[in-house]
Amino acid sequence: MAAMTSPVRVLVVDDDALVRAGLTMMLDGASGIAVVGEAADGDQAQAAVDAHAPDVVLMDLRMPRVDGITATRRLRARPRPPEVIVLTTFDTDDNILHALRAGASGFLLKDTPPARIADAVRLVAAGEPILSPRITRRLMDRAAVQAGAYSRAKATLATLSKREHDVVVAIAQGQNNAEIGASLDMTLATVKSHVSHILTKLALDNRTQIALLAHDAGLA
């Protein structure tokens, strides 16, 4: 970053005027950063990017009219997109994953120390994605849980016969008994018998649990 001759241009997008003012004051006082504009929601962000050509957008999530996820997706679809750092108090797994899938290069919580927010702006402008340590741990824990669920589901389904396995896949695809019979060339009575045996073998209570197990095993 020492080689950069011009400051990182930042746009602050948040529906809370006090938050915008605080971030602007903090970042304008940081070395190598200049706040070039503000916007009160995701809709205004489009025009603000046109007007100010920021390098990095600090984006809130929950805003009126156009939320931060939608705004991030739109900005990242532009021919010369700015980098986006989501800065929010809402750190649910869905918010994190939706933001990253929309193209955000960073995800920080609003209680992040000011110096770290400034560092994140510089890093993202230089092409380095950034996540707060708490978010990184959340994603790692989620991945571990999903990996464990996958392994357990595969092992559980391995106890089924080939035909029972085919019925499980059909159930996961949303087929009813008649449709399963037609697709697998079985009588309705045979399908019902297979479903009953599957529930007993796997110690499950209903078809929904069969479908969820198939999903965990990557079959749907």
Side-chain angles (χ1 to χ4, degrees):
M1 295 301 297
M4 295 186 67
T5 58
S6 58
V8 177
R9 298 169 60 83
V10 176
L11 173 70
V12 177
V13 183
D14 198 294
D15 64 330
D16 188 325
L18 289 177
V19 171
R20 293 199 308 273
L23 287 170
T24 296
M25 183 180 300
M26 180 268 291
L27 289 173
D28 259 346
S31 175
I33 297 174
V35 177
V36 296
E38 299 180 11
D41 61 41
D43 187 43
Q44 292 183 11
Q46 297 275 347
V49 168
D50 287 336
H52 303 294
D55 303 304
V56 176
V57 175
L58 280 181
M59 182 76 73
D60 190 22
L61 275 186
R62 299 193 179 181
M63 298 179 291
R65 296 200 295 176
V66 177
D67 63 83
I69 300 296
T70 302
T72 296
R73 186 177 297 109
R74 291 176 180 175
L75 292 181
R76 293 299 296 164
R78 297 164 65 99
R80 294 174 61 85
E83 301 293 340
V84 176
I85 298 175
V86 169
L87 186 63
T88 182
T89 57
F90 302 101
D91 63 342
T92 66
D93 289 353
D94 283 347
N95 282 335
I96 298 166
L97 293 174
H98 288 164
L100 297 178
R101 287 168 180 160
S105 298
F107 196 108
L108 298 176
L109 301 178
K110 286 184 177 177
D111 61 1
T112 300
R116 289 191 178 180
I117 295 177
D119 286 343
V121 167
R122 299 187 193 97
L123 287 170
V124 165
E128 296 288 340
I130 186 75
L131 295 175
S132 70
R134 193 191 314 174
I135 299 302
T136 301
R137 172 53 57 187
R138 289 273 298 273
L139 293 178
M140 291 173 64
D141 290 344
R142 180 187 176 104
V145 169
Q146 289 177 334
Y150 173 81
S151 298
R152 290 191 296 272
K154 292 289 284 186
T156 299
L157 293 177
T159 64
L160 301 179
S161 69
K162 173 64 169 64
R163 210 57 171 155
E164 289 168 342
H165 189 277
D166 293 340
V167 171
V168 166
V169 172
I171 290 173
Q173 292 171 345
Q175 297 183 31
N176 59 35
N177 285 349
E179 291 169 335
I180 294 173
S183 64
L184 297 180
D185 194 24
M186 295 179 184
T187 67
L188 187 58
T190 300
V191 173
K192 291 180 177 179
S193 177
H194 277 310
V195 172
S196 178
H197 289 159
I198 291 166
L199 292 171
T200 300
K201 275 188 177 182
L202 304 184
L204 300 176
D205 296 322
N206 52 53
R207 294 168 69 97
T208 299
Q209 291 180 347
I210 293 176
L212 290 174
L213 187 65
H215 180 273
D216 287 343
L219 300 179

